[in-house]
Amino acid sequence: MDQPSEKNIMKMRNFVEKFAAKSGTYLHPDRTVTDVVVEGLARHIEEVGKPLCPCNFYPDKQAEAKLRRWICACDEMQAYKYCHCLLFVREDGLSMTEYLPDDHECRQIYGL
Ligand code: SF4
């Protein structure tokens, strides 16, 4: 897999730091988690022109990018502060699940 450019990595790193502060979330305490996700987002900027979430499988990345629902910060993050990539987490490093609706599939995954 090609390494994304330093410019796009820096662009996404700046974005996630600012977005975490703005949204009242934290970056993962394990810096390697953040680095891997930031790199994936930067790679998607180069592939499809947008920072598409790197933690999903898309049959058609270009089509998905046009829908915008998984452009970081995605719809779930905007609505529920929930980031399944663990890019944005609680202060204790755990996933922010507090605002997920009762019927959200991730409530079962986390045994909530
Ligand atoms: Fe960004 Fe959403 Fe993916 Fe988290 S789950 S990295 S907020 S697109």
Side-chain angles (χ1 to χ4, degrees):
M1 224 181 279
D2 288 344
Q3 179 71 11
S5 69
E6 196 56 30
K7 179 178 162 238
N8 281 329
I9 289 175
M10 287 311 294
K11 182 176 175 181
M12 288 318 300
R13 192 166 286 147
N14 284 337
F15 168 76
V16 301
E17 282 169 6
K18 283 189 184 132
F19 189 83
K22 188 174 102 178
S23 61
T25 59
Y26 295 83
L27 298 183
H28 199 279
D30 180 349
R31 177 65 189 258
T32 57
V33 173
T34 309
D35 287 348
V36 166
V37 181
V38 163
E39 215 173 273
L41 290 165
R43 191 173 290 113
H44 274 159
I45 292 179
E46 291 168 19
E47 256 184 272
V48 297
K50 301 272 184 235
L52 194 59
C53 184
C55 311
N56 293 327
F57 169 75
Y58 311 102
D60 182 339
K61 287 186 183 180
Q62 295 285 356
E64 184 60 49
K66 284 190 189 129
L67 294 175
R68 302 199 64 85
R69 58 192 172 180
W70 289 110
I71 303 294
C72 196
C74 62
D75 289 359
E76 283 199 332
M77 184 66 205
Q78 305 279 356
Y80 313 127
K81 292 195 186 192
Y82 177 67
C83 170
H84 69 271
C85 296
L86 299 178
L87 180 60
F88 304 111
V89 293
R90 301 189 325 200
E91 192 171 11
D92 60 7
L94 296 176
S95 213
M96 180 133 1
T97 53
E98 289 86 330
Y99 307 106
L100 286 173
D102 290 345
D103 59 349
H104 195 283
E105 59 185 9
C106 293
R107 284 196 157 273
Q108 283 174 357
I109 292 168
Y110 284 100
L112 300 170

